[in-house]
Amino acid sequence: MTILDGKKISNDIKNEIAEQVKRMKENGEKVPHLAAIIVGNDGASLTYVASKVKACERVGFESTMVRLSNTVSQVELLDKIKELNENPDIDGFIIQLPLPKQIDTQKVILAVNPDKDVDGFHPMNFGKMALDMSTFIPATPFGILELLDRYNVDTQGKHTVVIGRSHIVGRPMSILMGRKGFPGNSTVTLTHSHTKNITQITSQADIIISALGVPNFLKAEMVKDDAVIIDVGITRVPDDTTEKGYRITGDVDFENVSKKASFITPVPGGVGPMTIAMLLKNTLLARERQM
Ligand code: GUN
């Protein structure tokens, strides 16, 4: 069994990006600038955005964090997006999801200039992804592809089962694994809350990508020997024995599933750090495209 070490690979990628930024600076070029809009005070969202900003500093990017109140109106948020769209200094930006209930998330995603949409959530970019055109691939799916690639995990002709159809992970992942090329060329089954007999499906999978958000959902008896297991779950579970009062738990019963798996991602330290590295990669791409 091989651990797919997202912490190590994301560090390698950040080092590669930092090298490129160093060369940009030496050539007197503008360095990439990422902005992130965060609405409200959700602890997990604040942590993620803080990590994204810290990662920018680490590779030499400029970063801007825009904090808006939980009660911000749709109009105010759209105004802020317009400002970032029009600011030539900002190469790419994200709006951390989820958003409060008074905000129409679809309208927000549509308002982002597709050339600055480093999350790859705009329908223009999502459509390009589905049609194999050059675009911004959403950071978490992009990170999973990169992990599979760097560990030479064979995906061709394999049966990939994706659990969860979220717009951010499950849905794009199901498209990407079936695309022509590597990683890809998989036969894909997308499962969700209405899927019947999920164990019957997962136990036929060569590759399982779980993005459900239910701690320890995937048990050893649902997995065949030598399966490749990608765990995208990052649920905060209360735990008084830790300093923060919670621990991060994945969708996979790691202790037992890892005994059967050929490759497996840990939580934390698997997909999570890859997401941030690939957001940086998309921001670098946005800068390069604007040159
Ligand atoms: N919320 C959970 N994952 C993501 C992500 O990748 N991007 C944004 N903007 N919000 C998220």
Side-chain angles (χ1 to χ4, degrees), residues 37 45 48 52 94-98 119 121 138-140 168-169 234 275 279:
I37 301 180
S45 289
Y48 299 147
K52 290 170 184 178
I94 63 156
I95 301 115
Q96 187 67 26
L97 303 179
D119 255 334
F121 292 170
T140 301
I168 297 180
V169 187
I234 37 164
T275 297
L279 176 65

Side-chain angles (χ1 to χ4, degrees), residues 125-169:
N125 289 322
F126 204 93
K128 283 183 171 179
M129 175 197 71
L131 296 169
D132 298 341
M133 295 163 79
S134 167
T135 185
F136 300 114
I137 295 173
T140 301
F142 196 10
I144 294 169
L145 293 184
E146 192 73 19
L147 263 184
L148 295 171
D149 187 15
R150 295 206 184 206
Y151 279 88
N152 277 313
V153 176
D154 190 14
T155 60
Q156 180 151 309
K158 303 293 181 188
H159 182 201
T160 294
V161 171
V162 178
I163 307 174
R165 57 180 161 184
S166 74
H167 293 173
I168 297 180
V169 187

Side-chain angles (χ1 to χ4, degrees), residues 33-42 44-50 52-53 56 63-87 90 92-100 102-103 105 107-109 111-113 116-119 121 279 283:
H33 188 166
L34 174 71
I37 301 180
I38 165 111
V39 182
N41 298 305
D42 176 68
S45 289
L46 283 166
T47 306
Y48 299 147
V49 172
K52 290 170 184 178
V53 169
C56 284
S63 64
T64 297
M65 175 144 106
V66 180
R67 280 198 74 172
L68 300 174
S69 137
N70 201 41
T71 58
V72 72
S73 71
Q74 172 96 13
V75 170
E76 284 169 301
L77 179 54
L78 291 176
D79 276 350
K80 188 42 94 175
I81 291 170
K82 186 163 181 279
E83 201 182 301
L84 296 177
N85 280 340
E86 289 171 359
N87 182 345
I90 304 283
F93 66 97
I94 63 156
I95 301 115
Q96 187 67 26
L97 303 179
L99 291 166
Q102 75 274 18
I103 306 288
T105 301
K107 283 210 176 102
V108 166
I109 289 171
V112 176
N113 174 354
K116 295 191 178 190
D117 171 40
V118 285
D119 255 334
F121 292 170
L279 176 65
T283 307

Side-chain angles (χ1 to χ4, degrees), residues 184-244:
N185 291 342
S186 256
T187 304
V188 180
T189 302
L190 179 60
T191 67
H192 46 75
S193 51
H194 291 272
T195 298
K196 295 196 175 97
N197 292 326
I198 191 151
T199 297
Q200 200 185 340
I201 296 168
T202 55
S203 45
Q204 289 173 26
D206 301 304
I207 301 167
I208 300 176
I209 300 169
S210 186
L212 194 61
V214 177
N216 294 315
F217 170 81
L218 194 75
K219 305 271 194 264
E221 51 279 19
M222 298 170 75
V223 171
K224 76 173 182 186
D225 282 333
D226 295 325
V228 176
I229 308 293
I230 308 290
D231 189 351
V232 193
I234 37 164
T235 309
R236 291 181 171 198
V237 174
D239 184 348
D240 291 339
T241 66
T242 67
E243 202 178 307
K244 290 175 175 162

